Amino acid sequence: MFSPQFLQSGFLPDVFDAFDGLTKVILANREDFRGVLRGNVPPSLFSDSLQYLSLRNNHLANLPTTACHATSLEFLDIGKNQFGHPAAEVNPLACLAYLPNLQGYDLSYNQYPGDFPSEYANFPMLTYFAAYDTFPGVFKTRSFPTWVYNLTRLNTLRLGSNRLQGTLGTEIGQLRNLSELQLVTNLLSGALPTEIALLSQLKSLSIAYNSFGGSLVDLGELSQLSYLLLDQNDFEGTLPTLPDSLSLFTFFNNNITGTIPDHLPSNLATFGSDNNDLYGTIPPSFCLPKLNKFSMKSNKRLTGSPPVCLWSLPNLSSIYLSKTNVSGTLPATIEIPLLEVMDISYSRMEGTLPEFLMTMKTIATVLNAKNCGFSGTIPQSYGDVLAGINVMNNHLTGYYPSNICSLTNFNVLGNDLYCPRPDCCSTPRGECPKKCVLPPSPSPSPSPPPSPSPSPSPGPSPPPSHTIPPVSSPSPSPSPSPSPAVRQAQYPHKVPAIVYLLIFFLALVFFNGLTMGVLRSRRLGHSEGEAEFDALISDPISDRLNTEV
């Protein structure tokens, strides 16, 4: 429609009356790119035929009064501009409330001081009203616009980040067509009215970051409710009945207590309950095929082992159980294709670290098991399948994984890992103990047991065999003499010394007698020699030696 040279100045020219019958004008920009249009919106833009106008994400500051006469206008989006400037011609345009066909009006991310115009209660056809973050004050407040209760055709109401104060009235139950109610980041207080359960078309309720209190309203009959955000309030009591249509339910930083219901919505994909007072065990009702994000951090009275099925959910991307008292062991192998974060730090989980089987190589998975009770070794595969680990202050031993330097970051402080320390321990992404532990010396392999010998054939039994023990290494100090029993075991065939002494005396007597007999036989003859020899054999000295032996 316009050449780049035409828009180079950044100001819209007042030439739109030349376009007869113009019904739709879109001069918006992407959310991540702020447009170049600035200054005032030209009066000629608002013709009688205009039905749809989007000027979103520019630097425009003023709407002309001709906008109040655009009777065919059905949708007006002026979000993310500078409307509300003190020099604005109308601040904001209260007269827009009288446009007979206006159904959608978005003025989010502008700066309107003071309250919204009370004339806005007169929108006859309005179904969509968004005024997110339109209040410039930091220390000032704005009253809750009670005129919204008159807009019974509304299906979307977004009033977040406006420093609204007051309570949500029972009149909210009049908005029976409401499908989205968004009041996040305000100063609203009081109990949530039970009439909110009458909004049968409600699909999204976002009231996080307020000061609502009291018990939660039973919303089990809202069969279309899909998103329920109650974070950072003062709700107390137990969890109410939840509709089966719910897919996102978060209530961080409240005072909710009690146990978790055994029945949870079958469509639940996100569950967040950080910093509450839930107790008991995590029931198997969380084993839902669509569960994607699961967080129960800082519920210190949660105990018991998480259900085993939780570690194999196909769509789970994050699980947070840190600062709880859940206990037990992890399965030997975890295979969750979409897992990005597993945080079980400061819990009572123990045992050995699991192997991760990651089928989606593009997923950067981080394991935080800090201050638990894990023992054993760090699996060697972690450098291949994980992006980061924190296993600080456990009871881990063994060698560093050979590819630990492939991790984006890791912390293994407070463990007894073996030397050597990897080089990446001295880089900002690696936290390692300053000292490593010398690995234990390898123990010698035990000798194989002797093979059984074949059964001996009948006959005399052989003498028992004796195993000679290994000779020990010589030492500087002399070894003590072995006892006689030990010597006998070491040298089983050694003849006692007394036997040698007896043989020596017998030989001495024998040769002495033999010598004397020869000499006497020479003198007395052969017969006398024989008689002398016979007398020597029967000498009583031999009997005494035999007795001694």
Side-chain angles (χ1 to χ4, degrees), residues 23-163:
T23 61
K24 190 173 186 178
V25 176
I26 299 177
L27 296 174
N29 288 278
R30 300 192 316 264
E31 294 296 323
D32 58 343
F33 176 76
R34 198 69 181 262
V36 297
L37 298 179
R38 63 189 69 249
N40 299 332
V41 179
S44 61
L45 182 59
F46 290 93
S47 63
D48 293 340
S49 60
L50 187 65
Q51 298 177 8
Y52 187 101
L53 174 63
S54 178
L55 301 173
R56 192 175 188 85
N57 207 10
N58 281 287
H59 297 275
L60 299 169
N62 291 304
L63 282 178
T65 56
T66 55
C68 300
H69 306 290
T71 56
S72 298
L73 191 63
E74 297 177 359
F75 185 84
L76 176 62
D77 184 356
I78 56 174
K80 289 193 174 181
N81 278 280
Q82 294 180 359
F83 295 111
H85 190 274
E89 202 170 321
V90 181
N91 185 25
L93 286 177
C95 61
L96 293 177
Y98 299 100
L99 293 179
N101 294 301
L102 190 64
Q103 300 175 31
Y105 182 23
D106 192 337
L107 50 92
S108 301
Y109 300 103
N110 284 287
Q111 301 296 305
Y112 291 115
D115 294 338
F116 294 108
S118 59
E119 288 85 353
Y120 280 9
N122 299 314
F123 280 112
M125 301 292 291
L126 199 66
T127 62
Y128 177 96
F129 183 70
Y132 189 91
D133 194 10
T134 62
F135 194 61
V138 176
F139 301 105
K140 297 180 180 180
T141 59
R142 175 184 285 175
S143 300
F144 184 81
T146 56
W147 50 261
V148 299
Y149 300 139
N150 296 328
L151 305 179
T152 56
R153 292 178 179 268
L154 274 181
N155 59 46
T156 300
L157 178 60
R158 298 176 180 173
L159 296 174
S161 294
N162 280 291
R163 295 186 62 80

Side-chain angles (χ1 to χ4, degrees), residues 137-218:
V138 176
F139 301 105
K140 297 180 180 180
T141 59
R142 175 184 285 175
S143 300
F144 184 81
T146 56
W147 50 261
V148 299
Y149 300 139
N150 296 328
L151 305 179
T152 56
R153 292 178 179 268
L154 274 181
N155 59 46
T156 300
L157 178 60
R158 298 176 180 173
L159 296 174
S161 294
N162 280 291
R163 295 186 62 80
L164 298 176
Q165 65 176 0
T167 61
L168 193 62
T170 59
E171 297 90 343
I172 194 69
Q174 299 173 186
L175 305 181
R176 297 298 179 89
N177 294 306
L178 202 61
S179 64
E180 180 184 350
L181 178 58
Q182 197 260 62
L183 302 173
V184 300
T185 319
N186 281 294
L187 303 172
L188 299 172
S189 59
L192 200 63
T194 57
E195 285 77 7
I196 205 165
L198 300 176
L199 306 180
S200 58
Q201 304 299 313
L202 197 62
K203 296 179 180 178
S204 176
L205 177 59
S206 304
I207 56 174
Y209 296 93
N210 279 281
S211 297
F212 288 112
S215 300
L216 294 176
V217 177
D218 192 337

Side-chain angles (χ1 to χ4, degrees), residues 260 273-282 294-306 310-311 319-328 343-349 370-373:
I260 303 168
S273 64
D274 299 1
N275 291 299
N276 280 276
D277 191 30
L278 297 174
Y279 56 79
T281 60
I282 301 173
F294 178 74
S295 183
M296 301 189 74
K297 294 189 295 185
S298 298
N299 284 273
K300 297 181 180 179
R301 291 205 288 165
L302 277 179
T303 58
S305 299
L310 199 62
W311 311 113
I319 178 169
Y320 292 90
L321 293 174
S322 60
K323 297 182 181 179
T324 65
N325 273 304
V326 296
S327 58
D343 187 352
I344 51 177
S345 59
Y346 295 97
S347 70
R348 298 178 62 190
M349 300 296 290
K370 178 181 178 180
N371 285 83
C372 292

Side-chain angles (χ1 to χ4, degrees), residues 201-286:
Q201 304 299 313
L202 197 62
K203 296 179 180 178
S204 176
L205 177 59
S206 304
I207 56 174
Y209 296 93
N210 279 281
S211 297
F212 288 112
S215 300
L216 294 176
V217 177
D218 192 337
L219 304 176
E221 298 299 321
L222 298 182
S223 59
Q224 299 190 47
L225 188 63
S226 181
Y227 299 96
L228 181 57
L229 286 82
L230 309 176
D231 310 326
Q232 198 70 44
N233 280 284
D234 296 318
F235 289 116
E236 56 189 15
T238 59
L239 291 175
T241 303
L242 302 174
D244 203 51
S245 56
L246 202 62
S247 65
L248 184 150
F249 180 37
T250 61
F251 52 102
F252 301 142
N253 302 324
N254 280 276
N255 301 307
I256 303 298
T257 187
T259 59
I260 303 168
D262 289 331
H263 175 75
L264 292 171
S266 58
N267 290 310
L268 194 63
T270 300
F271 180 87
S273 64
D274 299 1
N275 291 299
N276 280 276
D277 191 30
L278 297 174
Y279 56 79
T281 60
I282 301 173
S285 52
F286 276 111

Side-chain angles (χ1 to χ4, degrees), residues 349 369-374 391-396 413-415:
M349 300 296 290
K370 178 181 178 180
N371 285 83
C372 292
F374 289 102
V391 291
M392 179 181 178
N393 295 336
N394 279 274
H395 309 292
L396 299 170
L413 289 170
N415 291 284

Side-chain angles (χ1 to χ4, degrees), residues 458-480:
S461 299
S465 60
H466 298 274
T467 303
I468 300 176
V471 180
S472 59
S473 302
S475 57
S477 59
S479 303

